[in-house]
């Protein structure tokens, strides 16, 4: 029997179980230094919750409703109740997954979930990996290992790749070459080949999926090209890595629509051929921030992490997670929450995480279809995953920009029926190739963008488009 667990019930039960465990160690009276003024506590809590729950508009804006289907803006949503409860239980103890004695159970959980994530991504069984504070740190580690393995040779990344790669290249002291992207937001293979022919690049970063346009780089074609030039490949799958579950399977039961287009599936499946890969469980893995992960095909790269510490690594001869990570202190609660989530929502196409992903894909396709039929709005690109990019119909580039900004702002500010989307800037030449009748009166324009990563978006797809259509008409 399936249930929708109540978050409060789960957190309370978990909290009580940890309290019971704590009592076995005997009474320890709380120190007076930790006491707080009762009136000040009530006042501060009231202010805290008041600011958290204030309307998301005005001089002191509150929080956006990330958990509601009317929020279709950025890559944000609450964690699953199971993850929340597991995180809260571990956070009460506050284990540190650096050395094994900082959290033996949570360290074991981390090692187990890394096996699961590696299998999802097609990595070898002996791949080396660990959790991180998020995709930025995970990408930093991957590029650091790449620098060590290639003697500091430059990296290359698509113009549509995440800005973190160029930033981390600067941190690491290596050059970063930008490779042109095509009109669909994917790395251009001809431009990549020209870059590789110069013989300078040591590592190419491919993206699955880009966080702006939701595009999947042509991994299955780009990786052999990189191999032919003796170049290392890192895949930034921080956003799209979980979709590989659907890339290697048939459609989930109960749907007559293939979850992924064949070409998208082919390229996501090719993640398995990368030297390293990053994925963020705090996106499609239903986890709280921050929970990223990095995996390396060759476990021998662990030698680059080798270090010693005079006061850690004493409780076990087994590998301590701090011995294979750049970060030292890391929350054991993140590992515990992910482990618990995957016990009840496994990494499978036909159950667990798979149907969550498939619902988002269907929502994106439904929104795309409704936009295509609209007289006021038009899709810019067909969605490859669950990100949809679209724009108000307009006569010029400048008008398109103005109308996009108006829909964004008015929709967010409406007190009665708000809708929350986001903006993305595209150059005029790309927009005019999509909309040839646009007058070229500006160099670029903002378009609208929606991330439909909550399964609840599937039922709301029509309502979201109807509301956006009304806003585009001034209603």
């Amino acid at each position: 029997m399936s249930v929708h667990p109540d978050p409060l019930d789960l957190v309370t039960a978990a909290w009580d179980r940890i309290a019971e465990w704590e009592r076995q160690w005997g009474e320890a009276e709380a120190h007076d230094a930790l006491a707080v003024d009762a009136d000040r506590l009530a006042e501060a809590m009231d202010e805290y919750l008041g600011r958290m729950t204030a309307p998301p508009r005005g001089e002191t804006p509150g929080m956006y409703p990330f958990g509601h289907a009317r929020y279709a803006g950025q890559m944000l949503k609450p964690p699953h109740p199971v993850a929340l409860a597991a995180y809260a239980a571990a956070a009460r103890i506050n284990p540190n997954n650096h050395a094994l004695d900082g959290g033996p159970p949570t360290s074991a959980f981390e090692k187990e979930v890394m096996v699961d994530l590696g299998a999802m991504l097609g990595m070898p069984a002996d791949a080396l990996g660990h959790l991180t504070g998020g995709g930025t740190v995970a990408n930093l580690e991957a590029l650091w290992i790449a620098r060590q393995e290639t003697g500091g040779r430059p990296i290359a990344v698509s113009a549509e790749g995440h800005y973190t790669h160029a930033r981390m290249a600067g941190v690491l002291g290596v050059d970063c070459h930008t490779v042109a992207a095509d009109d669909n937001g994917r790395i251009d293979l001809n431009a990549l080949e020209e870059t590789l022919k110069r013989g300078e690049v040591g590592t190419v970063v491919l993206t699955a999926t880009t966080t702006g346009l939701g595009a999947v780089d042509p991994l299955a074609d780009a990786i052999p090209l990189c191999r032919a030039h003796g170049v290392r490949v890192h895949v930034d799958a921080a956003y799209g890595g979980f979709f590989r579950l659907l890339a290697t399977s048939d459609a989930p039961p109960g749907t007559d629509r293939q979850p992924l287009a064949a070409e998208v599936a082919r390229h996501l499946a090719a993640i398995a051929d990368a030297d390293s890969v990053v994925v963020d469980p705090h996106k499609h893995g239903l986890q709280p921030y921050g929970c990223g992960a990095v995996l390396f095909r060759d476990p021998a790269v662990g030698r680059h992490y080798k270090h010693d510490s005079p006061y850690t690594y004493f409780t076990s001869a087994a590998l301590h997670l701090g011995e294979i990570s750049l970060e030292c202190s890391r929350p054991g609660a993140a590992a515990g929450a992910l482990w618990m989530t995957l016990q009840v929502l496994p990494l499978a196409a036909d159950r667990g995480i798979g149907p969550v992903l498939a619902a988002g894909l269907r929502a994106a396709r439904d929104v795309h279809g409704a936009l295509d039929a609209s007289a006021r709005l038009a899709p810019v690109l067909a969605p490859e995953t669950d990100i949809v990019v679209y724009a108000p119909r307009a006569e010029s580039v400048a008008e398109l920009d103005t109308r996009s900004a108006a829909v964004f702002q008015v929709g967010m500010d409406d007190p009665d029926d708000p809708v929350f989307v986001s903006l993305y800037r595209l150059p005029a030449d790309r927009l005019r190739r999509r909309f040839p009748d646009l007058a070229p009166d500006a160099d670029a324009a903002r378009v609208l963008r929606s991330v439909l990563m909550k399964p609840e978006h599937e039922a709301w797809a029509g309502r979201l488009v109807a509301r956006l259509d009304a806003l585009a008409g001034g209603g």
Side-chain angles (χ1 to χ4, degrees), residues 74-329:
Q74 304 291 357
M75 298 166 175
L76 295 163
K77 64 179 179 181
H80 194 278
V82 169
L84 181 64
Y87 197 103
R92 175 165 177 162
I93 305 167
N94 203 24
N96 180 351
N97 273 20
H98 178 70
L100 292 177
D101 57 345
T106 52
S107 293
F109 290 148
E110 181 165 344
K111 292 180 180 182
E112 291 171 34
V113 298
M114 291 311 300
V115 171
D116 293 338
L117 292 174
M120 176 185 75
L121 296 167
M123 288 283 104
D126 64 346
L128 188 74
H130 60 88
L131 297 180
T132 69
T136 301
V137 174
N139 279 308
L140 170 62
E141 292 207 25
L143 295 180
W144 175 67
I145 290 292
R147 185 192 71 177
Q148 303 304 98
E149 288 285 292
T150 65
R153 293 167 64 195
I155 69 169
V157 62
S158 165
E160 293 286 347
H162 201 280
Y163 64 83
T164 191
H165 300 295
R167 179 184 288 181
M168 293 303 104
V171 170
L172 295 168
V174 300
D175 291 335
C176 181
H177 296 199
T178 300
V179 181
D182 63 21
D183 284 350
N184 292 307
R186 312 178 192 114
I187 195 168
D188 185 284
L189 290 174
N190 291 327
L192 175 60
E193 185 169 21
E194 289 302 312
T195 299
L196 294 173
K197 282 180 179 178
R198 295 198 290 269
E200 301 172 359
V201 169
T203 303
V204 168
V205 178
L206 301 172
T207 308
T209 308
T210 61
T211 52
L213 299 177
V216 177
D217 278 344
L219 273 65
D221 302 320
I223 292 177
L225 181 61
C226 293
R227 298 296 184 220
H229 289 270
V231 170
R232 185 178 180 86
V233 175
H234 169 60
V235 173
D236 179 0
Y239 188 75
F242 280 84
F243 285 104
R244 193 178 183 277
L245 286 172
L246 305 183
T248 54
S249 67
D250 295 327
T255 177
D256 58 357
R257 288 182 283 179
Q258 193 70 15
L260 289 167
E263 276 296 279
V264 174
R266 184 171 75 93
H267 296 312
L268 288 175
I271 290 174
D273 298 323
D275 294 295
S276 57
V277 59
V278 159
V279 68
D280 276 354
H282 64 217
K283 293 188 172 77
H284 291 101
L286 310 178
Q287 298 306 293
Y289 283 106
C291 185
V294 60
L295 287 129
F296 299 97
R297 167 175 296 280
D298 180 8
V301 302
R303 68 186 182 279
H304 297 300
Y305 288 98
K306 188 172 177 58
H307 67 281
D308 197 9
S309 169
Y311 58 91
T312 54
Y313 313 143
F314 292 117
T315 58
S316 172
L319 183 70
H320 296 256
L321 291 163
E323 296 180 276
I324 55 164
S325 66
L326 284 181
E327 293 175 277
C328 292
S329 297

Side-chain angles (χ1 to χ4, degrees), residues 42-58:
E43 180 183 340
M45 184 60 74
D46 184 63
E47 180 181 354
Y48 172 73
L49 295 176
R51 292 170 66 174
M52 290 286 286
T53 59
R57 63 186 72 85

Side-chain angles (χ1 to χ4, degrees), residues 375-402:
R376 299 188 181 105
L377 298 164
V380 175
L381 295 170
E384 296 189 350
T385 53
D386 56 8
I387 297 175
V388 183
V389 182
Y390 50 101
R393 298 185 186 273
E395 294 185 359
S396 73
V397 174
E399 182 189 359
L400 187 150
D401 178 81
T402 299

